Amino acid sequence: MTVVETRNGIATSNAEWWRSAVVYQVYPRSFADSDGDGIGDLLGIRSRLDYLQNLDVDVIWLSPIYCSPQDDNGYDISDYEAIDPVFGTLDDFDNLLADVHSRGMKLVMDLVVNHTSDEHPWFVESASSRENPKRDWYVWRDQPNNWESFFSGSAWQWHDETEQHFLHLFSRKQPDLNWENGDVRQSIYAMMRWWLDRGVDGFRMDVINLISKDPGLPNGKPIAGTPFGDGFPHFSYGPRVHEYLQEMNESVFGGRSGTYLTVGEMPGVTVEQAQRFTDPARGEVNMVFQFEHVGLDHGPSGKWEARTLDLVELKESMAKWQQGLGDVGWNSLYWNNHDQPRAVSRFGDDGEHREKSAQALGAILHLQRGTPFVYQGEELGMTNVHALSIDHVSDIESLNFYQSALAAGTSQESAMASIQRIGRDNARTPMQWGPTGGFSDGEPWIALNPNTTVVNAAAQVGVEGSVFEFYRTLIALRHEVPAVVHGDFRLVEPLHPTLFAFERRFSGTLLTVAANFGTAPLSYPIAGEWLLGNYEQAEGPLRPWEVRIYRQDVE
Ligand code: TEU
């Protein structure tokens, strides 16, 4: 391995550039529309690269842009090696990639290989007859088990023509691939190499801890009040998942001179499992997306049931992951993405203290150890939608939930309240470029959040004290202060109900980060020299949603 100086002046292996990088997630449908059809596209993204370069992010992760019937907004892929016409062409992609690279940034693709679309030629063949050579590429059974789909209802779909059921953990248009079949795996690895040959810099791997299932596909424990069982223990972290990831890593990245970023999305992953997945010595993935902190406000029956978020639990969870992946492995850091409600609405205060709380959340995340991911609009403090009616809901998960909740006797009001609180459309409204939107000249595919009049990029870029400029400073700190990247982590005052404070220590430097997650003045004296804050520098108690960062030299 070559040893190089990174821009923060620490000698590390350049193969590990992702440790000091900040990733920006683009949800292409909703980022920027160049042709006025109301749907964002590749040319739109290309026209906004100045904005991303100004923010100083290192990597762009694109949610899926492949050919797709768009049943799940592109997470249902019908051709892995073609761009959906709604987003552009392969030429547009190559031009975008070249522009990203010429600006010193990198680009990471979404890899969705737990399932394909039912319109993918592989599935079309597989479904054509029981004798077809690709029959075994998907999971077919005479009898379904009792697993429930993530998107409500049974995880099995009856297929009339060939008189068997097929497995779909997500929508019925997303049949699960059978990873036990070696030809399936080799075809996926070949496709990944095809993208690397085009020049991409890595992959974000969709639900990659679900690819190996318990081969017997046993019933799950019955879930009270439903006809279903909990299949999760049988379809996640299956017996061959490590073997598959090692095989993928070797077959796809082995022998290449380039170095790549890989992040596995892993619902339900534990710290112990994540250690194994991200231990560099095992050659699987660089980091995982874990879900613990975004599950703390879920009730016993799941995400649609509200539970009050407790700051002490949030701190405990985050500290656990910081410690657990401190010596071996690596963390990803995120507050939100295209599946989660907006961070400031969920963890902060999106009313009076929207800007301060968005900044405090930014600091708390970006100053932890790991690779931070910014979801488009988070850097502006974009919020949930709030006034949404079912006629305007677009997301398949929310629509299916609404139907099944009503069928089970839930009131319309209560089902809508759940969707407004935690539905995925909250994150998917168009990027707010200016006071009238600026996303598209046409009618956007999903309505803009009306607060674009006040919450928008034009009002923030270059404006001192804005959420955007604060994020820019946080990203710069990661690039410039080695303790941000490499420092160890210690939570202080773990039981304090409104203080979120921690220390990072590295090579003679101690950083202290302290935030007031409330509005009452909070005394927490910190030693050292002032580095950054989201208010005018002052002594005395922390003001509402104030965050302060101090630096001192230590032994
Ligand atoms: O998400 C997987 C996942 O487990 C959840 O976040 C899921 O979206 C849902 O909200 C559970 O309640 C990934 C993608 O990020 C998501 O957009 C896709 O819909 C899903 O996989 C299927 O590809």
Side-chain angles (χ1 to χ4, degrees), residues 25 27 61 63-64 72-76 110 112-115 150-151 169-171 174 204-207 209-210 232 265-268 291 298 303-304 337-340 395-397 422 424 428:
Q25 183 190 354
Y27 195 66
W61 148 31
S63 275
D72 184 21
N73 286 1
Y75 283 89
D76 49 318
D110 219 307
V112 189
V113 290
N114 173 68
H115 43 267
F150 279 92
F151 291 165
L169 291 180
F170 294 88
S171 102
Q174 293 167 300
R204 172 270 186 192
M205 304 173 178
D206 196 65
V207 291
N209 61 333
L210 309 188
F232 196 81
E265 189 211 25
M266 301 197 178
F291 280 64
H298 294 183
K303 70 181 273 183
W304 303 110
N337 57 41
H338 65 293
D339 295 330
Q340 302 290 335
D395 171 33
I396 181 167
E397 183 190 39
I422 210 159
R424 304 194 298 181
R428 300 177 179 187

Side-chain angles (χ1 to χ4, degrees), residues 156-352:
W156 295 89
Q157 175 66 32
W158 172 249
H159 187 247
D160 250 350
E161 291 81 351
T162 57
E163 300 190 320
Q164 276 190 315
H165 299 81
F166 66 84
L167 177 69
H168 62 90
L169 291 180
F170 294 88
S171 102
R172 68 184 56 165
K173 286 186 67 63
Q174 293 167 300
D176 281 54
L177 281 161
N178 176 19
W179 274 71
E180 301 277 330
N181 182 308
D183 293 338
V184 167
R185 302 201 301 276
Q186 293 309 323
S187 303
I188 290 169
Y189 306 153
M191 174 272 284
M192 293 172 75
R193 290 192 295 265
W194 185 87
W195 282 102
L196 294 188
D197 292 345
R198 267 203 126 74
V200 308
D201 301 292
F203 297 99
R204 172 270 186 192
M205 304 173 178
D206 196 65
V207 291
I208 206 72
N209 61 333
L210 309 188
I211 57 178
S212 165
K213 281 116 185 154
D214 190 336
L217 307 182
N219 278 329
K221 281 211 192 81
I223 306 171
T226 78
F228 303 112
D230 179 12
F232 196 81
H234 306 298
F235 62 68
S236 73
Y237 201 64
R240 300 182 69 185
V241 66
H242 289 293
E243 174 198 332
Y244 294 159
L245 285 178
Q246 286 170 14
E247 181 187 73
M248 172 194 284
N249 191 65
E250 184 52 41
S251 323
V252 174
F253 303 105
R256 287 186 182 253
S257 57
T259 55
Y260 303 95
L261 184 155
T262 54
V263 49
E265 189 211 25
M266 301 197 178
V269 69
T270 65
V271 180
E272 293 72 30
Q273 294 167 358
Q275 256 175 13
R276 275 172 238 141
F277 284 120
T278 66
D279 176 353
R282 296 172 56 93
E284 298 184 21
V285 289
N286 301 152
M287 60 193 105
V288 306
F289 289 139
Q290 55 93 7
F291 280 64
E292 195 175 279
H293 63 303
V294 292
L296 295 173
D297 59 359
H298 294 183
S301 70
K303 70 181 273 183
W304 303 110
E305 182 183 349
R307 177 174 182 271
T308 307
L309 183 78
D310 176 351
L311 182 67
V312 173
E313 278 181 17
L314 178 65
K315 290 191 289 185
E316 188 188 3
S317 166
M318 289 186 139
K320 180 176 94 184
W321 283 85
Q322 286 289 297
Q323 300 309 341
L325 299 182
D327 295 329
V328 176
W330 190 251
N331 271 295
S332 75
L333 306 168
Y334 74 97
W335 282 128
N336 49 195
N337 57 41
H338 65 293
D339 295 330
Q340 302 290 335
R342 288 280 175 184
V344 70
S345 300
R346 185 184 208 175
F347 299 104
D349 168 353
D350 68 4
E352 187 186 345

